[in-house]
């Protein structure tokens, strides 16, 4: 049985072990793993390992039933859908798993989820990853069908051995979709990854060695076998895309772009061929553009009800490694790469010139905007720029010297925040500056998308209702963990970083908080245990402002700290106890002196004999000695965050100088000097009152509950928030060229010019150090006549109204869920719903849902020009081939 300390050392050695190809790793449910970390005294925060007090609760037996699910067709246990790493499960190396299985035992063999480290690079590079999800592959050979869960690196030729086919027997491999077959071109080293196999694919093994077909894509094979006529029963553009394994994010983005008539016509007419840029080092050598053109041509051929975008996926993965494999991804990130990749592949600028950044100084906005756009066009000129690029004005303003910086940057899409009105309740404890006031517990309502400044404003409002005033500028919000300051929050930090179980304290600060003439000091408290052998942290820390002008001594610092912690002690008990002890010692001393010296006093009270003077000096010394011996605490300086002692005041006189200048200082309490007040047994026994911080008085807000309201946000609110001036957080301070340092500043965006096609990304997902969330509120966006004139500051003669033509939807939770799309078919002007390979008719009243994630708008003048026509096939009107219809009538 390993001790807790041995397990802790093992954790410190292997928690951050580097991946090595072929190594075994194991899945383990997050709840058990976090209990184990707490049990051995470790807190893991965003890959940072922090030591803490061990808990007394062992994690128990290991069970992975909450994260694993059995395949009904096999004995394999796979990871359940929509689970997030480090939220629902963790991966641990073999060394740690052996420790777990020996010390805590595993409930059953079904709870063992063994995985391997693979090299996921398809380009001969190195991209190590733990293969969390294996491919579920159905193998067919003659009348035999079996299902296997295989690694992406599984060699194609080794499939034969799974069905006990001789390795010498020549065979051909095919992807099978229903009755259609697509041949797989193999080499000796071909793997499932290299041939583009996906989740739930069916692979047919044929030993009859048929003649090699002339077509190489599954979709084109289907078109040969199923459609021999040039006429079709399918409307152009109404072609689903098969899910290759968590590729719905890709399919919905493609469907949205497929319904942009300007871009689709460009590819269908073959105009891209003369503009492919093979020299651009930032491009994909034209291969992405070719793959996209081939897919669009197939989707609009009217010959297929669905197709498998395997060739496009392979090309995408080749040039964007983040999309290798079959994990769920973000459709907006895919769309961003697709537009950028197509732009670079089709950039008409063959050799980009060096362009020096211009300056707005001495120029009007009109002049500088035109100059910035021309500079952009010198390096970027493509169909993507023609259709999707607009111009954005960004203004930065230094709040110290009022220096202003203006830039005009192109944009391809707008990522707008959602002003969510969903409220959360944050429980906190207020620590007043006045030591005569108790600690108060509050529950403050604040928007889920709010900041720490909003939290302080909510608290300020509550306090004012009680008839008191505490400005939010005098509040410091901190998280206390294991009786120490874990972090202090910046005013612009998101409240979403605060978890329900976090201990949040708000410290009232004096007006000098923002002054640079004061030291910021954090004092943690420790107390001796009952056996007086060691100390442990206790209580809550205090935050002090110490004047730099003060000639600081150990005695004055002690007194300053004591004045700020008096509320935690019963001072009457301390004073009376200390007074009784001093008087007792003085009386004993005087009695001894009376026996040795006769005290002789004249009638004149001012006359004191030598003997009495000696006694008085002796009593002063006794009093000072008693005071020194009965101090409440001893002061230490903590070195960095290690809580090792750097120095102490135990053997130093009160008059000795305490120099704070030699310790690192910062602008906030996150970089403050950190001290420890180590309380002795005397203070613990005589007057330390733990109830002061353990049982703070509760404000009436502690009993309130939030009622759930159905949110509805207008798209105009999102644009207003996007163009609203905001103050940058401390982490994003702007480097001011005038101040020559990073300073507090504001930032503002304005739209200067608009594109022909406006893509709006609704930022539903929020990510932070502690918290991940999705805003599932309904965004009320117009289908017709979205007017952007109110947000446009540049002069324009172009149309400013837009109509919706496509929507990308996301259903479910972060890191998983499912993507679908709505699109308006340009040939008949009707709405359709795209769900992987399925396409069904819909209506514009169904388009606005809480799942809407990407909105694609077409400028009204172009909408009237393109919708209801097919420029590539003029005979197609309202979705039907008029020539074909006439032939049917003649029959």
């Amino acid at each position: 049985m390993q001790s807790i300390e041995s397990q802790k050392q093992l954790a410190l050695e292997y928690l951050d072990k580097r991946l090595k190809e072929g190594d075994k790793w194991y899945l383990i449910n997050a709840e058990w793993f976090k209990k184990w970390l707490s049990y051995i005294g470790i807190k893991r925060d965003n890959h940072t390992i922090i030591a803490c007090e061990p808990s007394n609760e062992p994690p128990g037996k290991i069970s992975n039933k909450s994260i694993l699910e059995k395949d009904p067709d096999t004995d394999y246990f796979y990871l359940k859908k929509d689970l997030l790493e480090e939220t629902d499960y963790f991966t641990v190396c073999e060394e740690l798993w052996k420790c777990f299985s020996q010390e805590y035992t595993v409930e059953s063999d079904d709870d063992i989820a063994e995985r391997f480290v693979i090299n996921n690079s398809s380009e001969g590079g190195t991209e190590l990853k733990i293969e969390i999800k294996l491919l579920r592959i159905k193998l067919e050979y003659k009348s035999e069908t079996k299902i296997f869960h295989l690694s992406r690196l599984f060699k194609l030729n080794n499939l034969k051995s799974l069905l006990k086919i001789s390795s010498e027997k020549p065979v051909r491999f095919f992807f099978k979709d229903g009755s259609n077959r697509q041949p797989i071109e193999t080499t000796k080293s071909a793997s499932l990854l290299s041939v583009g196999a996906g989740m739930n694919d069916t692979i047919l093994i044929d030993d009859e060695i048929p003649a090699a077909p002339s077509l190489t894509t599954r979709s084109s094979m289907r078109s040969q076998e199923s459609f021999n006529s040039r006429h079709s029963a399918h409307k152009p553009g109404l072609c689903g895309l098969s899910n290759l394994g968590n590729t719905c994010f890709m399919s919905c983005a493609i469907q949205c772009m497929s319904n942009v008539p300007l871009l689709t016509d460009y590819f269908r007419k073959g105009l891209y061929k003369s503009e492919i840029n093979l020299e651009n080092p930032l491009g994909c050598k034209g291969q992405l553009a070719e793959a996209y053109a081939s897919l669009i041509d197939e989707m609009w051929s009217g010959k297929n009800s669905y197709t498998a975008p395997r060739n496009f996926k392979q090309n995408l993965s080749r040039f964007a490694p983040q999309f290798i494999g079959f994990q769920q991804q973000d459709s907006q990130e895919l769309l961003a790469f697709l537009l950028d990749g197509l732009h670079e592949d089709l950039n008409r600028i063959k050799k980009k010139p060096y362009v020096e950044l211009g300056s707005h100084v001495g120029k009007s906005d009109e002049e500088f905007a035109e100059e910035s756009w021309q500079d952009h066009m010198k390096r970027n000129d493509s169909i993507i720029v023609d259709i999707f690029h607009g111009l954005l004005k960004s203004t930065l303003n230094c709040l110290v010297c009022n220096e202003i910086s203006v830039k005009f940057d192109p944009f391809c899409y707008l990522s707008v925040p959602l002003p969510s009105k969903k409220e959360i309740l944050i429980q906190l404890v207020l620590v007043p500056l006045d030591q005569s006031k108790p600690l108060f517990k509050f529950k403050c309502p604040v928007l889920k998308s709010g900041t720490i400044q909003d939290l302080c404003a909510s608290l300020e409002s509550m306090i004012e209702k009680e008839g008191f005033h505490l400005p939010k500028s005098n509040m410091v919000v901190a998280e206390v963990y294991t009786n120490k300051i874990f972090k202090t929050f910046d005013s612009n930090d998101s409240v979403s970083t605060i978890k329900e179980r976090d201990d949040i304290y708000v410290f009232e600060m004096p007006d000098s908080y923002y002054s640079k003439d004061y030291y910021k000091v954090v004092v943690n408290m420790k107390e001796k245990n009952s056996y007086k052998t060691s100390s442990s942290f206790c209580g809550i820390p205090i935050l002090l402002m110490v004047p730099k002008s003060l000639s600081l001594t150990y005695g004055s610092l002690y007194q300053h700290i004591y004045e700020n912690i008096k509320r935690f002690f019963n001072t009457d008990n301390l004073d009376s106890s200390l007074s009784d002890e001093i008087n007792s010692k003085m009386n004993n001393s005087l009695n001894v002196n009376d026996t040795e010296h006769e005290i002789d006093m004249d009638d004149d009270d001012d006359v004191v004999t030598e003997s009495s003077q000696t006694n008085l000096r002796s009593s002063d010394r006794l009093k000072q000695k008693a005071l020194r011996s009965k101090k409440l605490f001893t002061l230490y300086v903590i070195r960095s965050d290690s809580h090792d002692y750097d120095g102490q005041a135990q053997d130093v006189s009160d008059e000795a100088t305490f120099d704070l200048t030699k310790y690192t200082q910062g602008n906030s309490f996150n970089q403050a000097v950190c001290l420890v007040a180590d309380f002795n047994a005397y203070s613990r026994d005589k007057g330390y009152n733990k109830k002061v911080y353990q049982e703070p008085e509760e404000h009436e807000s502690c009993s309130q509950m939030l009622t759930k309201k159905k949110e509805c946000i207008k798209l105009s609110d999102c644009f207003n928030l996007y163009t609203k001036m905001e103050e940058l957080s401390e982490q994003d301070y702007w480097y001011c060229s005038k101040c020559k340092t990073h300073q507090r500043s504001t930032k503002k965006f304005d739209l200067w010019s608009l594109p022909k096609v406006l893509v709006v990304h609704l930022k539903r997902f929020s990510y932070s150090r502690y918290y991940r969330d999705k805003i599932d509120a309904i965004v009320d966006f117009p289908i017709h006549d979205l007017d952007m004139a109110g947000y446009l500051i540049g002069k324009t003669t172009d149309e400013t109204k837009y109509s919706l033509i496509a929507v990308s939807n996301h259903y479910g939770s972060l890191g998983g869920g499912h993507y679908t799309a709505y699109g308006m078919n340009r040939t008949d002007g009707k709405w359709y719903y795209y769900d992987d390979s399925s396409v069904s008719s819909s209506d514009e009243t169904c388009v606005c849902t809480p799942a809407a994630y990407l909105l694609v708008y077409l400028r009204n003048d172009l909408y009237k020009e393109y919708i209801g026509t097919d420029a590539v096939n003029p005979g197609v009107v309202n979705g039907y081939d008029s020539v074909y219809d006439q032939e049917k009538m003649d029959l």
Side-chain angles (χ1 to χ4, degrees):
M1 184 76 178
Q2 291 191 40
S3 65
I4 291 179
E5 186 58 35
S6 298
Q7 294 181 53
K8 186 173 183 178
Q9 292 304 316
L10 194 70
L12 294 175
E13 182 177 357
Y14 288 110
L15 275 179
D16 290 325
K17 181 182 177 181
R18 291 188 175 184
L19 298 181
K20 182 181 177 183
E21 190 172 358
D23 278 1
K24 290 181 184 178
W25 284 65
Y26 294 82
L27 306 183
I28 192 162
N29 85 72
E31 184 180 359
W32 188 95
F33 186 68
K34 289 175 181 177
K35 275 187 179 180
W36 177 72
L37 289 178
S38 178
Y39 179 61
I40 64 173
I42 286 180
K43 181 180 181 182
R44 189 170 187 177
D45 177 39
N46 197 27
H47 303 290
T48 301
I49 298 174
I50 304 169
C52 63
E53 295 292 328
S55 72
N56 296 320
E57 184 182 358
K61 288 186 177 181
I62 301 171
S63 172
N64 279 332
K65 291 179 177 58
S66 62
I67 63 171
L68 297 178
E69 189 170 347
K70 187 176 181 180
D71 186 339
D73 298 317
T74 68
D75 293 329
Y76 178 77
F77 282 81
Y78 58 88
L79 194 67
K80 291 181 179 179
K81 291 182 178 180
D82 301 338
L83 298 188
L84 299 178
E85 188 170 2
E86 299 197 2
T87 298
D88 303 300
Y89 70 93
F90 284 82
T91 53
V92 295
C93 64
E94 188 174 14
E95 292 83 357
L96 285 178
W97 179 259
K98 285 182 178 178
C99 169
F100 295 162
S101 56
Q102 291 170 3
E103 299 297 325
Y104 304 100
T105 70
V106 184
E107 278 196 359
S108 71
D109 290 344
D110 295 341
D111 295 295
I112 302 174
E114 182 181 275
R115 299 294 186 265
F116 287 87
V117 179
I118 65 170
N119 184 0
N120 204 45
S121 174
S122 60
E123 295 298 310
T126 302
E127 186 192 342
L128 299 179
K129 61 175 286 186
I130 302 169
E131 191 173 24
I132 303 296
K133 297 181 180 179
L134 301 184
L135 294 178
R136 187 178 188 272
I137 301 294
K138 180 188 287 187
L139 293 183
E140 291 187 5
Y141 174 64
K142 295 185 177 180
S143 60
E144 185 178 10
T145 300
K146 283 190 176 181
I147 295 174
F148 298 91
H149 291 265
L150 304 173
S151 168
R152 286 161 179 78
L153 299 187
F154 193 89
K155 299 301 181 187
L156 206 64
N157 282 326
N158 291 340
L159 293 176
K160 294 189 290 185
S161 63
L162 298 178
L163 298 180
K164 298 180 180 179
I165 302 171
S166 170
S167 59
E168 304 298 326
K169 191 177 186 67
V171 298
R172 287 182 62 88
F173 298 97
F174 298 84
F175 285 117
K176 184 178 178 183
D177 279 333
S179 60
N180 302 317
R181 304 194 306 178
Q182 174 196 337
I184 302 174
E185 300 208 1
T186 62
T187 61
K188 288 184 179 180
S189 61
S191 66
L192 294 176
L193 174 65
S194 66
V195 299
M199 188 69 70
N200 295 313
D201 266 352
T202 298
I203 296 180
L204 174 67
I205 303 178
D206 192 343
D207 59 5
E208 295 179 4
I209 314 298
S214 59
L215 300 176
T216 57
T217 63
R218 176 187 302 182
S219 52
S220 56
M221 177 67 70
R222 182 188 302 112
S223 65
Q224 261 199 358
E225 293 178 356
S226 305
F227 302 97
N228 296 318
S229 170
R230 72 177 182 89
H231 305 298
S232 168
H234 300 291
K235 292 181 183 179
L238 301 188
C239 178
L241 297 172
S242 297
N243 194 322
L244 306 177
N246 286 326
T247 56
C248 55
F249 74 95
M250 179 184 77
S251 298
C252 75
I254 292 172
Q255 294 289 8
C256 286
M257 290 299 99
S258 170
N259 284 290
V260 176
L262 289 77
L263 185 63
T264 296
D265 285 358
Y266 172 83
F267 281 101
R268 291 176 67 196
K269 291 178 180 179
L271 301 178
Y272 72 95
K273 295 178 181 178
S274 62
E275 295 188 336
I276 287 181
N277 189 336
L278 300 176
E279 304 170 20
N280 190 353
L282 300 178
C284 307
K285 309 301 180 187
Q287 295 178 39
L288 183 65
E290 290 279 10
Y292 182 77
S294 176
L295 181 59
I296 289 295
D297 199 44
E298 192 168 351
M299 292 170 67
W300 283 84
S301 68
K303 297 177 180 179
N304 307 312
S305 62
Y306 71 97
T307 186
R310 190 176 305 281
N311 183 49
F312 177 82
K313 175 68 167 63
Q314 284 181 302
N315 279 279
L316 176 72
S317 300
R318 183 178 300 116
F319 296 103
Q322 65 269 33
F323 299 118
I324 287 177
F326 297 92
Q327 291 185 340
Q328 185 66 283
Q329 304 280 356
D330 190 304
S331 66
Q332 185 271 332
E333 293 178 4
L334 183 282
L335 180 62
F337 173 80
L338 176 61
L339 292 177
D340 186 59
L342 291 176
H343 160 66
E344 297 296 354
D345 263 5
L346 302 168
N347 199 340
R348 300 170 186 126
I349 308 297
K350 302 302 179 183
K351 188 174 182 180
K352 295 188 178 185
Y354 171 76
V355 177
E356 190 170 339
L357 289 175
S359 171
H360 72 285
V361 178
K363 301 170 187 173
S364 66
D365 279 356
E366 288 76 11
E367 292 172 331
F368 191 44
E370 179 61 23
E371 177 186 313
S372 300
W373 181 255
Q374 292 304 321
D375 286 346
H376 174 61
M377 292 295 292
K378 289 175 184 176
R379 294 173 55 86
N380 303 279
D381 183 12
S382 71
I383 186 65
I384 302 300
V385 175
D386 298 342
I387 297 175
F388 295 95
H389 281 206
L391 199 61
L392 197 66
K393 177 186 177 183
S394 62
T395 306
L396 286 163
N397 182 21
C398 176
L399 295 178
V400 177
C401 71
N402 210 31
E403 175 76 0
I404 293 177
S405 172
V406 175
K407 286 181 67 180
F408 286 92
D409 295 307
F411 69 88
C412 193
Y413 53 87
L414 295 178
S415 291
V416 297
L418 272 61
S420 175
K421 298 175 184 177
K422 186 184 291 184
E423 285 190 336
I424 56 174
L425 286 175
I426 294 183
Q427 182 173 286
L428 55 84
V429 175
L430 174 66
V431 184
L433 202 57
D434 187 346
Q435 293 294 303
S436 66
K437 294 180 179 178
L439 274 60
F440 268 97
K441 183 186 290 185
F442 290 83
K443 273 190 178 180
C444 297
V446 63
L447 291 179
K448 199 171 184 179
S449 59
T451 63
I452 295 298
Q453 188 173 5
D454 298 327
L455 175 63
C456 293
S458 177
L459 179 59
E460 180 183 9
S461 175
M462 284 187 171
I463 294 172
E464 283 184 348
K465 290 178 181 178
E466 302 297 325
F468 301 99
H469 180 62
L470 173 57
K472 60 179 179 289
S473 58
N474 286 38
M475 299 180 191
V476 171
V477 183
E479 178 187 350
V480 175
Y481 179 73
T482 61
N483 306 103
K484 303 183 289 292
I485 295 286
F486 181 68
K487 72 168 288 187
T488 58
F489 294 92
D490 185 72
S491 61
N492 288 316
D493 283 346
S494 172
V495 293
S496 63
T497 61
I498 298 175
K499 293 182 179 179
E500 187 176 354
R501 62 179 178 271
D502 289 344
D503 294 322
I504 304 300
Y505 286 80
V506 177
F507 297 87
E508 179 185 358
M509 301 305 299
D511 295 334
S512 59
Y513 174 64
Y514 293 101
S515 173
K516 294 182 179 180
D517 297 327
Y518 286 77
Y519 294 113
K520 290 180 172 63
V521 179
V522 175
V523 182
N524 295 306
M525 294 191 244
K526 297 187 80 172
E527 64 174 349
K528 290 282 191 300
N529 60 27
S530 302
Y531 302 99
K532 302 181 183 180
T533 55
S534 62
S535 298
S536 59
F537 285 99
C538 65
I540 60 169
I542 59 171
L543 311 181
L544 297 181
M545 302 294 295
V546 181
K548 292 182 178 179
S549 59
L550 186 67
S551 181
L552 203 61
T553 64
Y554 279 94
S556 63
L557 182 59
Y558 174 91
Q559 187 62 29
H560 193 52
I561 294 173
Y562 172 71
E563 292 298 327
N564 283 274
I565 61 172
K566 286 196 296 187
R567 63 160 53 92
F568 299 110
F569 293 89
N570 188 329
T571 52
D572 292 338
N573 287 350
L574 287 173
D575 293 342
S576 61
S577 175
L578 186 57
S579 177
D580 290 344
E581 187 158 349
I582 292 172
N583 290 335
S584 173
K585 289 191 175 184
M586 288 178 64
N587 289 334
N588 289 338
S589 175
L590 289 174
N591 288 336
V592 170
N593 288 333
D594 284 345
T595 60
E596 297 179 357
H597 304 283
E598 193 172 288
I599 301 177
D600 185 16
M601 291 187 180
D602 292 334
D603 293 337
D604 190 350
D605 292 340
D606 293 335
V607 178
V608 183
T609 65
E610 182 178 350
S611 175
S612 66
Q613 287 177 338
T614 301
N615 285 331
L616 287 174
R617 286 195 298 269
S618 177
S619 68
D620 288 339
R621 287 195 299 273
L622 281 169
K623 186 176 181 179
Q624 291 297 324
K625 183 177 180 181
L627 286 170
R628 283 197 300 271
S629 66
K630 293 302 177 185
K631 279 187 174 180
L632 298 178
F633 54 83
T634 304
L635 275 179
Y636 300 90
V637 179
I638 291 180
R639 187 187 304 117
S640 184
D641 294 326
S642 63
H643 299 291
D644 295 330
Y645 296 149
D646 186 42
Q648 64 183 54
Q650 188 172 10
D651 300 322
V652 182
S653 68
D654 286 353
E655 292 76 22
T657 300
F658 193 101
D659 186 11
L660 284 176
T661 60
K662 65 180 182 179
Y663 301 106
T664 304
Q665 288 287 302
N667 294 323
S668 72
F669 280 102
N670 281 326
Q671 301 92 33
V673 175
C674 205
L675 305 179
V676 165
D678 198 356
F679 293 93
N680 51 43
Y682 167 76
S683 60
R684 185 192 70 232
D685 297 338
K686 295 296 183 181
Y688 188 39
N689 187 3
K690 292 184 178 181
K691 287 187 176 181
V692 173
Y693 70 87
Q694 288 179 341
E695 302 175 8
E697 294 191 19
E698 290 193 356
H699 184 259
E700 62 182 12
S701 61
C702 291
S703 60
Q704 68 176 319
M705 300 286 289
L706 284 178
T707 56
K708 290 188 176 181
K709 300 177 182 178
K710 192 174 181 180
E711 281 191 280
C712 185
I713 302 168
K714 291 187 178 295
L715 184 59
S716 58
D717 296 334
C718 301
F719 286 130
N720 288 333
L721 186 58
Y722 181 76
T723 55
K724 180 183 176 182
M725 182 183 293
E726 64 168 323
E727 183 174 339
L728 298 177
S729 64
E730 186 176 351
Q731 292 79 13
D732 297 320
Y733 277 3
W734 172 54
Y735 182 83
C736 176
S737 58
K738 188 174 180 180
C739 297
K740 305 299 182 184
T741 187
H742 290 86
Q743 297 285 27
R744 290 176 57 234
S745 54
T746 61
K747 177 183 70 173
K748 189 178 188 311
F749 287 132
D750 291 292
L751 296 176
W752 184 262
S753 65
L754 296 168
K756 295 175 181 177
V757 174
L758 178 64
V759 179
V760 181
H761 167 220
L762 303 177
K763 295 174 70 175
R764 291 191 178 276
F765 302 130
S766 58
Y767 304 88
S768 67
R769 186 177 179 185
Y770 305 96
Y771 196 82
R772 291 180 284 185
D773 190 27
K774 178 186 176 184
I775 301 172
D776 55 3
I778 293 178
V779 177
D780 184 11
F781 49 85
I783 308 297
H784 304 286
D785 296 329
L786 167 66
D787 194 352
M788 298 297 294
Y791 312 102
L792 194 65
I793 64 171
K795 296 178 182 179
T796 183
T797 57
D798 291 332
E799 172 73 76
T800 60
K801 291 184 179 180
Y802 290 79
S803 291
L804 191 71
I805 56 172
V807 179
S808 168
N809 307 299
H810 178 268
Y811 300 91
S813 60
L814 272 72
H818 182 57
Y819 286 96
T820 66
Y822 287 103
M824 175 181 282
N825 186 272
R826 55 91 53 86
T827 61
D828 65 4
K830 294 181 180 179
W831 283 92
Y832 293 88
Y833 184 62
Y834 300 86
D835 185 357
D836 287 335
S837 59
S838 171
V839 181
S840 56
S841 60
S842 186
D843 186 84
E844 68 176 37
T845 58
C846 303
V847 171
C848 188
T849 71
Y853 184 47
L854 290 172
L855 311 177
V856 183
Y857 282 94
L858 179 63
R859 211 170 62 194
N860 270 5
D861 57 332
L862 298 169
Y863 181 89
K864 295 171 184 176
E865 178 183 345
Y866 282 91
I867 301 302
T869 65
D870 189 338
V872 179
N873 296 318
V876 177
V877 180
N878 291 329
Y880 296 97
D881 191 328
S882 57
V883 176
Y884 183 40
D885 290 344
Q886 184 62 48
E887 289 177 358
K888 289 196 296 183
M889 290 175 64
D890 293 340
L891 291 174

